[in-house]
Amino acid sequence: MAGSTAFQRARGKPYAETFRCPGGALCLDFCNSGQSARGPSGAEWIAGFPELIDWLEAAEAITRGQAARLRRAAAASPRAAAQVWGRAIKFREALFRVLNARTEGGAIAREDLSIVEAEHARAVSFARLAWTGDGYSWSLDPSAESLDAALQPLVESAVSLLTSAKMERLRRCGNSTCYWLFIDETKNHSRRWCEMASCGNVVKVRRHREKARSAAH
Ligand SMILES: [Zn+2]
């Protein structure tokens, strides 16, 4: 699971932010890696298949051995790897639109759900049941060598979130220019910002300025 150690592992990478301010589910951290790509610069934090594997390894979504196998497969078929990366980004944006629409009470596009379903159908063949101590969970086949296997942990996380009661606690940051998604795990359902120190303060300062401006008129 992502957290401060994942942040240490990702330090210096553009996507390190996704671990500094975790969303509460692997698929949300992955959605949050699109923060910059959706903004004015359009810069993609996960710039290719190698970065996707680095991110998954930092998040501990795949093991070091799985990462090494996927990197070898990518080196042998760079064009196929680039295509899988393209699908990962397309999946991320479709999932973001579905989740974002939920937080805003907006309409969900059938085609976005179809993208998630299609990736789920692909990823299922790489999923194995693994005992976790108190139950079984789906995990990536440790011997999977196919490039497609890279998406399995992301798709599994997305489908289990979408079908869980946690959806009621799904929030988007209250700063309108921030796309950060998170599960509000506070007892009184009060979390409004990805991070108070950044977006919470930005909005407070903006409101303060607006008040001062209207008072001046
Ligand atoms: Zn924010």
Side-chain angles (χ1 to χ4, degrees):
M1 202 70 241
S4 58
T5 48
F7 178 59
Q8 298 292 337
R9 282 190 291 274
R11 182 157 275 182
K13 302 279 176 68
Y15 53 70
E17 285 292 292
T18 62
F19 302 121
R20 194 175 63 85
C21 194
L26 178 74
C27 66
L28 294 180
D29 294 336
F30 187 59
C31 273
N32 294 341
S33 75
Q35 173 86 340
S36 167
R38 294 174 208 131
S41 79
E44 176 56 63
W45 286 348
I46 297 185
F49 189 84
E51 286 80 5
L52 175 64
I53 299 306
D54 292 349
W55 188 91
L56 288 167
E57 193 182 1
E60 290 186 321
I62 56 174
T63 65
R64 189 190 268 189
Q66 286 164 336
R69 266 193 293 281
L70 287 163
R71 285 190 189 102
R72 273 199 299 276
S77 321
R79 278 179 60 186
Q83 276 173 5
V84 173
W85 165 76
R87 266 181 32 225
I89 300 300
K90 195 177 158 195
F91 164 76
R92 182 190 71 188
E93 294 310 301
L95 177 65
F96 171 78
R97 286 190 295 270
V98 168
L99 297 175
N100 185 50
R102 250 356 295 175
T103 66
E104 293 176 341
I108 286 157
R110 183 62 240 176
E111 65 225 63
D112 286 334
L113 283 175
S114 298
I115 291 170
V116 175
E117 287 165 349
E119 291 303 344
H120 179 246
R122 274 200 178 99
V124 143
S125 62
F126 305 106
R128 296 291 175 270
L129 285 168
W131 183 252
T132 60
D134 51 4
Y136 282 94
S137 73
W138 289 113
S139 69
L140 177 59
D141 178 355
S143 63
E145 288 182 357
S146 164
L147 291 164
D148 283 339
L151 273 67
Q152 190 276 334
L154 301 169
V155 174
E156 166 55 26
S157 169
V159 171
S160 67
L161 173 64
L162 286 166
T163 57
S164 82
K166 280 189 176 181
M167 285 296 287
E168 281 175 38
R169 293 280 197 122
L170 179 72
R171 305 279 181 273
R172 178 174 158 184
C173 178
N175 176 1
S176 58
T177 56
C178 179
Y179 301 94
W180 222 261
L181 294 172
F182 55 88
I183 304 291
D184 177 8
E185 283 169 310
T186 59
K187 271 197 183 136
N188 54 355
H189 303 210
S190 61
R191 183 173 166 193
R192 292 186 57 204
W193 318 105
C194 61
E195 190 186 39
M196 193 61 207
S198 51
C199 284
N201 286 338
V202 164
V203 171
K204 274 190 178 162
V205 168
R206 203 183 288 157
R207 279 200 196 124
H208 182 77
R209 274 204 209 114
E210 277 161 13
K211 255 189 201 162
R213 209 175 296 143
S214 58
H217 287 303

